[in-house]
Amino acid sequence: MDLQLFHSLIAGIFIGGVAGYLGSLMITKRMALVGDALSHVALPGVALALIYGINVSLGALPALFLGILLIWLLEMKTKLPMEALTGIVFTASIAIAFLFLPEEKVSTALIGDISQVNFFDALISIILGIVTWFVLRRIFPKLILANLSEDLAKVEHIKVEKYNFIYLVCIALVVALGIKVTGSLLMGALVITPAAAARNFAKNLFQYSYGALLMGIISCVLGILAFRIFALPAGPLIILIASLIFGLSLLFKKQ
Amino acid sequence: MKILEVKNLNVSFDDEKAIEDLSFSLNEGEFLVILGPNGAGKSTLLKTLLGLVPYEGSIRWKEGVHFGYVPSEFVVPENFALSLREFFQFKNLPHEKIFQSLELVGIKASENFLEKRLDTFSTGQLKRILIAWAMADNPDVLLLDEPMLYIDIHGRETIYDSLVSIWQTKNQSIVLVSHEVGEISRKIDKILALNKRKLFYGRPEDIINPQNLAKIYGSPTFS
């Protein structure tokens, strides 16, 4: 196996896994499309990173945190629904990014480029992937309980606002990582589709969350291998395989 | 010995009074039913006692008191992959404790029963499971918000019996919010009849009579 493929697979395993795991929580909290919207908010940062040749995830992160901060501030100031404000911020972000994104970099920004993953990217994926998964694993039961009844969670001394904030930071981290693999256009699907597939056959929370993690890993590994065999873009292949797994999972869905 | 003392409690939402100048107390091991028509501020009072709603006045719980709470709204979304075992694991309870708690609410659970998903239970079963969950880690006070809501008469009797059995077995204080006078009123210590203000407070035999009930339910105030 050549080194580049090895780096890509390592990045795919850790990013796909943590994205699937996060997705199981996002679907439960009915926030499936937030990952999609936020990946677009990251575009100006991605564009700058591509122009200056730095790590795309590192470029995406500050843009994501700025976007989240802006949405949060606008919500306090205007009292408009969060989804409307997210819509305004993410479309404005796309508009800003396309003002200075060079034409030859558009494809990389939108659907990612796994062939650019190097040792440093793989290492970042391992570290951030494990740290984010570990944090999510700690807050998972607390957020699930708060999702069933926020009052009940508060009586159990769960600081719901604090955990919601940590959860948002985890989303930003996973989106920033995933943009390297699938690009900003398809990142949302890497979070939603494996988790939706796992939900179709899961009998409990463990099967659901770790099933989603496994589906995320399988989608990325098969997608990257298919990219090597067919020389087609890896990002769309990963998402198509995830969609295929979702289709197969429908066979296991209880009526 | 007092476990709770409430003095001159006032709660408002957007300048509208939900609770006005309320004072009462609760002794250790006492069973109190908060009674009143819809919109009387009963659920608000329960949430205020739990520190979930801002208020004016004084609420003093005995130091270190541990609550068990059964909310009125607890909707499990369809296709929600959470097993009964996992639901109890949120409280990090030993295995035998789960079985004991379920037995107290009349559910004889097996290992297979614990693997059932929460979204497969009926509303009545879910209410009993919630009561078992709330009291599983031995709270000093169990607070229940309309546990009989949407439950048929047979289901209500089962829940009433479970509550009285828990009360007699565990000697916990219980605060139960209800919009109707049920059979349970004969077996408890105190009733607090509420319609934003305190209407009656005392022993059930002194309160439950046709004149007082007409006063409690006859003229609900919605202003």
Side-chain angles (χ1 to χ4, degrees), chain A residues 28 30 141 144-145 147-149 151-152 154-157 199-200 202-208 253, chain B residues 47 50 52 67 69 71 73-83 86-87 90-91 115 117 130 133:
Chain A
T28 303
R30 295 187 179 275
I144 293 284
L145 185 59
N147 197 54
L148 287 166
S149 167
D151 284 345
L152 194 61
K154 283 178 176 169
V155 172
E156 291 296 315
H157 308 293
R199 186 149 170 165
N200 279 337
K203 288 184 183 144
N204 53 44
L205 203 58
F206 181 85
Q207 287 183 8
Y208 175 38
K253 189 174 164 60
Chain B
K47 287 184 183 187
L50 287 163
L52 300 169
F67 303 120
Y69 175 49
E73 290 293 322
F74 187 84
V75 182
V76 182
E78 218 176 309
N79 198 13
F80 191 73
L82 178 71
S83 70
E86 288 172 324
F87 182 53
F90 288 159
K91 284 202 166 189
E115 298 310 325
R117 277 168 50 155
L130 264 182
W133 191 86

Side-chain angles (χ1 to χ4, degrees), chain A residues 1-24:
Chain A
M1 189 193 300
D2 68 61
L3 206 56
Q4 212 291 312
L5 177 62
F6 179 70
H7 289 151
S8 306
L9 285 172
I10 290 291
I13 286 168
F14 283 89
I15 296 171
V18 75
Y21 190 77
L22 171 73
S24 64

Side-chain angles (χ1 to χ4, degrees), chain A residues 61-211:
Chain A
L61 258 184
L64 278 166
F65 284 123
L66 264 177
I68 289 174
L69 190 68
L70 193 60
I71 293 166
W72 183 65
L73 286 173
L74 282 172
E75 197 203 12
M76 283 204 302
K77 193 89 180 155
T78 64
K79 300 283 175 205
L80 279 167
M82 174 95 67
E83 56 166 3
L85 296 169
T86 308
I88 293 167
V89 173
F90 100 69
T91 45
S93 302
I94 297 172
I96 292 167
F98 274 86
L99 286 180
F100 57 88
L101 182 66
E103 210 167 302
E104 67 275 13
K105 305 277 187 192
V106 169
S107 164
T108 308
L110 292 183
I111 59 167
D113 186 358
I114 201 88
S115 67
Q116 288 184 6
V117 171
N118 54 32
F119 170 76
F120 178 67
D121 295 324
L123 190 66
I124 291 257
S125 307
I126 295 171
I127 295 168
L128 286 182
I130 289 176
V131 169
T132 313
W133 167 76
F134 188 75
V135 172
L136 282 169
R137 190 170 155 266
R138 289 291 299 272
I139 66 172
F140 208 105
K142 295 171 174 69
L143 288 176
I144 293 284
L145 185 59
N147 197 54
L148 287 166
S149 167
E150 197 166 317
D151 284 345
L152 194 61
K154 283 178 176 169
V155 172
E156 291 296 315
H157 308 293
I158 293 170
K159 292 185 169 58
V160 178
E161 288 81 10
K162 182 182 110 180
Y163 288 112
N164 271 334
F165 178 75
I166 297 172
Y167 164 66
L168 276 178
V169 172
C170 288
I171 296 176
L173 277 170
V174 171
V175 168
L177 283 173
I179 278 175
K180 187 85 186 168
V181 181
T182 61
S184 69
L185 202 60
L186 297 172
M187 179 51 214
L190 193 59
V191 177
I192 301 164
T193 315
R199 186 149 170 165
N200 279 337
F201 63 75
K203 288 184 183 144
N204 53 44
L205 203 58
F206 181 85
Q207 287 183 8
Y208 175 38
S209 53
Y210 285 93

